[in-house]
Amino acid sequence: AALTGDRRDALLKASLWGNQADLGFRTNNRTATTASGAIVADDGAALWSLIDAPRDAPVIVVADNAGRELTADLALVDLLLETGPVELHLKPHPYFVSDAPCDDVLASLDTLAADRHAETRDLAARLRAALGDDRLRLRVHEVYALPTRYLDLPPALADDFAAARVVILKGDLNYRRLVGDREWDPTTPFAEAAGDLGWPVAALRTAKSDLAVGLDPARLAALDAEAPDWRTAGTHAMIQ
């Protein structure tokens, strides 16, 4: 069934802004979470159309940071499970110090299960039940800890991505691996920069590096004039 708009929008945005929560940025940046227009590219409707597609294929979520970001991702995963199976892909070990390997998911579920709020404990219980009946699968692949472009995935992983309803990539590094760490014209269409992947993809990214694509020219000009450091400050985000 299609998910109610307010709930899914709130949890998608929580996962998006959770990407601030690495060691380089404050996790309570009120400017980033409340500023009008802080999401500079928003393809959320297109993403949900892929998620809501009536297929038994999984949604794949490629995680980024542990801690508060992973907690927000788990809440989004709980929502996605209402549409079908989900795979949460994790690093075998941190590539950067705050990255989330599989053990962090299990530790996070333990913490959520011990929370004083019943709703949080219920979230942990639902996720554990989904793990138990294989609706939620945790996948670890060494490629996530290597400097690999998404255009050059191992064939088996590329096949898994191609079979998914959509692959959701979290974070700045995954974004750079997706479109290439190049000096793109920021108005270059996102699909053009990503290239011919052969699988449907969405990027949820808080901007923390100079790279940007898929921006409206007028919006770009306004951003550069109003907040020259918007690309690196962690105060603007993209759903593409």
Side-chain angles (χ1 to χ4, degrees):
L3 303 169
T4 58
D6 290 346
R7 179 169 168 244
R8 68 184 186 180
D9 183 67
L11 289 173
L12 182 64
K13 298 293 174 55
S15 178
L16 173 67
W17 287 119
N19 184 234
Q20 288 180 310
D22 62 23
L23 296 184
F25 292 85
R26 292 184 299 153
T27 61
N28 61 346
N29 188 325
R30 292 181 58 83
T31 301
T33 55
T34 64
S36 175
I39 298 177
V40 300
D42 188 354
D43 294 335
L47 171 56
W48 284 110
S49 69
L50 292 170
I51 292 169
D52 287 336
R55 297 173 54 199
D56 293 331
V59 171
I60 294 176
V61 180
V62 181
D64 190 13
N65 295 297
R68 295 186 182 186
E69 179 171 4
L70 182 58
T71 302
D73 292 344
L74 289 172
L76 177 62
V77 165
D78 177 60
L79 180 71
L80 295 175
L81 284 164
E82 297 180 19
T83 72
V86 178
E87 291 185 4
L88 182 59
H89 286 214
L90 302 136
K91 297 177 177 69
H93 52 78
Y95 189 72
F96 292 117
V97 67
S98 56
D99 289 337
C102 191
D103 286 351
D104 282 319
V105 175
L106 304 179
S108 295
L109 290 178
D110 288 342
T111 299
L112 296 173
D115 192 85
R116 63 188 179 90
H117 297 98
E119 296 87 351
T120 306
R121 297 194 299 272
D122 290 344
L123 168 65
R126 290 193 300 270
L127 291 169
R128 284 175 164 170
L131 285 170
D133 63 22
D134 209 36
R135 289 179 294 119
L136 172 60
R137 296 184 288 274
L138 304 183
R139 295 279 304 278
V140 175
H141 200 291
E142 65 180 6
V143 75
Y144 298 127
L146 298 172
T148 304
R149 299 187 311 164
Y150 279 103
L151 278 170
D152 301 320
L153 287 178
L157 186 58
D159 288 345
D160 290 343
F161 279 14
R165 277 177 286 160
V166 62
V167 178
I168 299 174
L169 301 177
K170 291 294 307 290
D172 195 75
L173 179 58
N174 276 325
Y175 190 88
R176 287 152 57 193
R177 287 175 166 173
L178 178 66
V179 304
D181 239 342
R182 300 167 56 186
E183 293 186 7
W184 289 104
D185 180 332
T187 64
T188 303
F190 174 73
E192 178 182 333
D196 187 12
L197 296 166
W199 36 274
V201 63
L204 304 187
R205 176 229 188 182
T206 299
K208 304 172 189 174
S209 64
D210 288 329
L211 175 65
V213 297
L215 299 185
D216 173 77
R219 182 74 175 108
L220 175 64
L223 283 168
D224 286 343
E226 296 165 7
D229 66 344
W230 71 267
R231 301 190 197 199
T232 58
T235 55
H236 292 72
M238 304 167 183
I239 303 172
Q240 294 179 304

